[in-house]
Amino acid sequence: MAENDEKYMKMCFALAKKGAGKVAPNPLVGCVVLDKKGNIAAKGYHKKYGQNHAERDALLKLKNNEAEGGTLYVNLEPCSHYGKTPPCVDLIIERKIARVVIGMKDVNPAVDGISKLKKAGIKVDFILEKEAEFLNRRFIKTMTRKLPYVVLKTATTMDGKIASHTGSSKWITREEARKLVYKMRKEFDCILTSSNTVLADNPAMETTSNQWKCILDKDLRTDKTFRIYSQGKIYIASKENTPLKNGKLDLESVLRELYKLEIYSVFVECGGTLAGALLKQGLIDEVYQFIAPKILNDNSGLSCFSNDKTDEISQAKPLRFYEIRKLGEDVLLKALCIK
């Protein structure tokens, strides 16, 4: 049975991922329902914030209560409270499901679906908990820390440079990598950069009209003549609306303000100074690093992280790779920052 449990939970993960970029601040959830003979009766997933949760999406497809006596798989504990939709746990009990297999317990303190399921006599099992937590790492952070999930993107030569000493940076990576970055931006609520980047490169940082762009501009050096202002909703963090720390914008305060704007995920594209400051303060959750097969061979070139002096290699920030992908001649590394 454990082998089938793993198979169907992985199916839930795949279904859940279909809601990426559309369900925040809710988690990614997929659901598979088997009848009492072990055949798939229905599948569902949370498609968009405010719409049916995965369990409801799946169970409402059944017209003749085919799920009675069967098993329901879901990668997150079913909700037990009223929100945008009624509690999923009530529908599971109503449909007389015999067993529920869950990936992870919900970190939302308002949810206690497991107790309600057990009280109704439904058997509850868990499987692939670590994988379920990884899938919903953004949701876990926003729910537990009340801060947006932060991913830093950088594009470097093999020796970690983002520009020459003159500031020349176009282009380090090739077109295939750049096209992927355009797609990545759409997966986040906000693109964050600094006034230094705006002034140096005048990037457009194209997004959808509903997405935010946050510009860290302490002294208001940028204005609407720059391309970044031409699209999306703009939040400017300056000394007029943000506390200062050591003469610079307090970066954690910026992120807390973004969270208040219902921004739950942030994609950072910036130079080495801001990237280094975010890293030093423990405000980066992941790094996406595009590496081109080029070596600048110049210590005066600009580094992707440059905000600190470190005496011992043991003080280096630890990360954990979870994806390595080849993009034509370039390589994409994705790594989690270990807190």
Side-chain angles (χ1 to χ4, degrees):
M1 194 63 177
E3 185 179 328
N4 280 337
D5 285 349
E6 189 169 309
K7 178 179 84 171
Y8 291 122
M9 186 56 66
K10 286 181 177 178
M11 197 177 291
C12 289
F13 295 160
L15 287 164
K17 289 175 184 176
K18 292 183 177 183
K22 303 180 210 110
V23 301
N26 284 353
L28 299 168
V29 186
C31 177
V32 177
V33 182
L34 307 185
D35 63 21
K36 60 185 176 183
K37 292 181 180 179
N39 301 312
I40 294 178
K43 293 185 285 187
Y45 69 98
H46 186 30
K47 295 179 174 66
K48 189 176 180 181
Y49 178 67
Q51 294 186 5
N52 284 335
H53 291 182
E55 305 95 314
R56 186 167 293 274
D57 183 49
L59 290 171
L60 293 182
K61 293 173 182 175
L62 302 174
K63 304 301 181 186
N64 301 309
N65 204 23
E66 297 93 331
E68 184 175 348
T71 300
L72 182 144
Y73 293 85
V74 63
N75 58 284
L76 183 75
E77 176 182 7
C79 66
S80 56
H81 64 294
Y82 281 86
K84 296 283 185 182
T85 58
C88 291
V89 69
D90 291 354
L91 184 60
I92 293 169
I93 294 168
E94 178 189 313
R95 293 302 177 97
K96 299 181 180 178
I97 301 290
R99 177 174 178 251
V100 175
V101 183
I102 298 168
M104 63 169 279
K105 194 176 187 317
D106 199 327
V107 294
N108 183 346
V111 175
D112 189 19
I114 294 167
S115 296
K116 202 166 182 179
L117 290 171
K118 288 181 176 179
K119 191 177 287 188
I122 296 172
K123 181 174 172 54
V124 176
D125 291 313
F126 286 85
I127 194 166
L128 301 182
E129 185 174 4
K130 291 298 180 186
E131 292 88 339
E133 289 173 352
F134 178 75
L135 174 67
N136 270 311
R137 57 197 183 278
R138 294 188 187 184
F139 167 73
I140 291 170
K141 183 192 178 181
T142 56
M143 178 58 65
T144 58
R145 296 195 58 200
K146 307 303 180 188
L147 282 170
Y149 194 87
V150 179
V151 173
L152 177 104
K153 186 277 298 181
T154 188
T156 74
T157 59
M158 288 179 66
D159 50 343
K161 302 301 180 181
I162 58 173
S164 72
H165 68 274
T166 65
S168 172
S169 62
K170 289 186 172 53
W171 292 100
I172 292 174
T173 54
R174 291 163 177 79
E175 188 175 0
E176 188 173 347
R178 298 197 297 271
K179 283 182 177 178
L180 181 58
V181 172
Y182 301 149
K183 291 180 181 178
M184 285 176 168
R185 287 177 185 149
K186 295 178 182 178
E187 299 173 6
F188 294 81
D189 298 331
C190 179
I191 314 303
L192 183 147
T193 194
S194 68
S195 57
N196 284 342
T197 297
V198 174
L199 291 167
D201 299 334
N202 193 19
M205 293 189 177
E206 294 177 3
T207 59
T208 66
S209 58
N210 290 324
Q211 284 177 291
W212 284 89
K213 293 176 187 175
C214 174
I215 304 167
L216 306 187
D217 191 359
K218 187 185 79 167
D219 298 311
L220 297 175
R221 297 184 296 157
T222 67
D223 57 44
K224 292 185 178 180
T225 62
F226 289 89
R227 295 171 65 212
I228 196 167
Y229 286 90
S230 64
Q231 182 192 38
K233 296 180 284 188
I234 305 291
Y235 177 80
I236 301 170
S238 72
K239 62 187 178 184
E240 296 183 2
N241 61 7
T242 308
L244 299 183
K245 191 174 183 180
N246 300 320
K248 297 180 180 179
L249 295 177
D250 184 328
L251 298 176
E252 185 169 337
S253 292
V254 173
L255 293 176
R256 292 200 181 279
E257 284 304 310
L258 295 181
Y259 183 86
K260 290 177 185 176
L261 292 172
E262 299 184 345
I263 290 170
Y264 305 109
S265 57
V266 174
F267 193 60
V268 182
E269 298 186 67
C270 65
T273 301
L274 176 56
L278 288 165
L279 186 75
K280 183 179 180 180
Q281 294 176 41
L283 298 175
I284 299 174
D285 298 294
E286 292 187 34
V287 174
Y288 292 178
Q289 184 160 358
F290 292 86
I291 302 176
K294 301 173 184 177
I295 295 175
L296 191 62
N297 192 27
D298 181 359
N299 285 341
S300 299
L302 305 181
S303 297
C304 53
F305 294 94
S306 56
N307 192 262
D308 207 2
K309 290 190 181 297
T310 305
D311 297 323
E312 301 291 336
I313 196 68
S314 59
Q315 295 173 288
K317 177 69 179 178
L319 293 92
R320 178 169 63 82
F321 291 126
Y322 70 87
E323 184 179 331
I324 301 172
R325 180 175 170 187
K326 201 163 185 304
L327 296 161
E329 295 298 315
D330 302 319
V331 173
L332 168 61
L333 305 177
K334 290 186 178 182
L336 296 169
C337 291
I338 299 172
K339 305 292 184 179

